[in-house]
Amino acid sequence: MAPRSREDEMELRSNQTLVDPEADHPLPAGVDLGLEGDTLDIHDDDLNDSIQHILHRNCNTVFKIAASRMPELSKVAGKIGKMIAADMEARLLRATRAKGRGDSSRDKGRNNGSLYTWASDILRWTKSQPLALGDDSDESDHTGIYADYVATFFESLMLFVAHHINEYFVCDRASELLDPEDCRLILPIARNNKEAEGSDASSVAYVDPADFAAFEYGMFPIGSSVERQVAPAPHLVVGGAEVVRHKSDYGEAEQRLAKKTKALFFNQHNRRFALGLTARSCTVCAYVFGVDDIWASTDMDIASAEGRQALISLLVDWSLCPVDCLGFDPSIRYSPSWSSVNPYLEIDIYK
């Protein structure tokens, strides 16, 4: 049998039921996403030199990590993603027409004020200049939209998706295949300048918000208020997002994301792998950080309907998948699971 590629191994080692192509029965999931080869040591203070050696780009399997391999659930998730994308496209169209008329009035109805604000932010994001990361022209390095703006637009898209996930479980059309207790909202966490514990940073240098911005996102119970959350418990953090303005700073954004992920492993004792996001202008990329390798998705262009659909589908999958597909070890749980006050660890033994 020919050896599997790294991307094939990544898909086979995702924390779902795995199928051996040469067997008719399912195999147990791998214990981690680690592969032989160069190693990302999360206890190493200097990650900069090692990242590019273990970073594998354009891996579509990043999108499949949280996607259900059960046809029924996959169909439900796909339906929800398309529903959210359709509503977003309709609102973007209305916002574009209203802007052309000079009409700043908001849609009427419950929650539409927030939806209007988020849609307006997303529209502004789509109108920012989409610049390919591979463009080496000098001009492209100085015309990107301010990073702090992109971070705000990114958060608005997360809130838009979370609102619809909440509404889906409130309505009578929610699928019986989905238990709200096993699902979650993915919400942005209010930004602050505090360095994460375990990051080994002795001081925090000033960063121009026009050039760099960052935020974390966490998991919260279905029914939570759809807004930027403030200081949740560390075990509720799912990952981080790094935003840059200039193409030349993109490598640094990945290094900063790796440092934040290192802190995530430090603070969460039930982590098997971690998720991350980067953005520049209209381009978004998703990452999976294993213990030995890092995988980056193909770029998602927010200026296109297809790119927005891809990001929405990813966030929907993160909201509906089992927690182990977000990188958490299901045999090691924080309890009470949603508590922000002194949760303790429960560990399954001999189960």
Side-chain angles (χ1 to χ4, degrees), residues 41-297:
D41 184 353
I42 61 173
H43 301 292
D44 186 359
D45 292 334
D46 186 9
L47 300 176
N48 297 354
D49 295 335
S50 61
I51 289 175
Q52 298 306 318
H53 293 91
I54 60 176
L55 177 58
H56 312 289
R57 298 191 183 278
N58 299 318
C59 297
N60 286 324
T61 44
V62 171
F63 297 113
K64 300 177 183 178
I65 285 294
S68 175
R69 293 196 174 110
M70 294 179 59
E72 298 85 357
L73 286 177
S74 179
K75 187 175 181 180
V76 171
K79 180 180 178 181
I80 295 173
K82 289 179 181 178
M83 173 191 69
I84 297 174
D87 184 63
M88 179 178 292
E89 296 307 312
R91 291 181 183 278
L92 292 179
L93 181 60
R94 288 203 297 270
T96 300
R97 291 174 175 172
K99 185 177 180 181
R101 296 192 303 265
D103 181 8
S104 60
S105 62
R106 298 187 174 185
D107 295 336
K108 296 180 180 180
R110 185 174 67 89
N111 289 322
N112 275 355
S114 296
L115 286 171
Y116 176 91
T117 300
W118 299 331
S120 297
D121 282 347
I122 297 165
L123 177 64
R124 292 173 64 193
W125 193 7
T126 67
K127 298 302 180 182
S128 63
Q129 187 172 357
L131 303 169
L133 295 178
D135 186 353
D136 293 327
S137 66
D138 293 336
E139 181 182 1
S140 69
D141 201 35
H142 300 283
T143 54
I145 190 170
Y146 283 5
D148 193 51
Y149 291 167
V150 173
T152 298
F153 302 158
F154 204 154
E155 292 172 339
S156 292
L157 189 145
M158 282 189 168
L159 293 170
F160 190 97
V161 173
H163 166 84
H164 282 283
I165 295 292
N166 246 354
E167 290 294 304
Y168 177 80
F169 282 101
V170 168
C171 72
D172 295 332
R173 294 178 289 109
S175 171
E176 296 180 356
L177 296 173
L178 292 172
D179 184 345
E181 294 294 325
D182 297 328
C183 302
R184 67 209 62 85
L185 302 181
I186 301 296
L187 297 173
I189 299 169
R191 285 171 262 173
N192 59 53
N193 295 323
K194 183 179 179 182
E195 191 70 18
E197 181 184 357
S199 64
D200 298 332
S202 57
S203 62
V204 180
Y206 171 76
V207 175
D208 188 343
D211 294 331
F212 291 96
F215 64 92
E216 292 180 317
Y217 42 92
M219 52 184 181
F220 300 88
I222 298 295
S224 298
S225 177
V226 180
E227 59 186 357
R228 292 171 180 84
Q229 301 295 311
V230 180
H235 70 280
L236 297 179
V237 177
V238 172
E242 291 287 332
V243 184
V244 295
R245 181 185 182 189
H246 302 307
K247 181 193 65 178
S248 59
D249 293 327
Y250 209 78
E252 183 172 345
E254 292 177 332
Q255 294 166 6
R256 292 162 64 90
L257 185 59
K259 292 284 273 187
K260 295 288 180 65
T261 304
K262 171 187 173 182
L264 206 60
F265 277 103
F266 180 92
N267 287 316
Q268 297 178 340
H269 304 297
N270 59 341
R271 269 290 181 183
R272 300 166 78 175
F273 63 90
L275 307 172
L277 295 162
T278 58
R280 174 178 171 269
S281 292
C282 288
T283 303
V284 175
C285 187
Y287 298 78
V288 173
F289 290 82
V291 294
D292 292 327
D293 288 86
I294 306 171
W295 293 267
S297 73

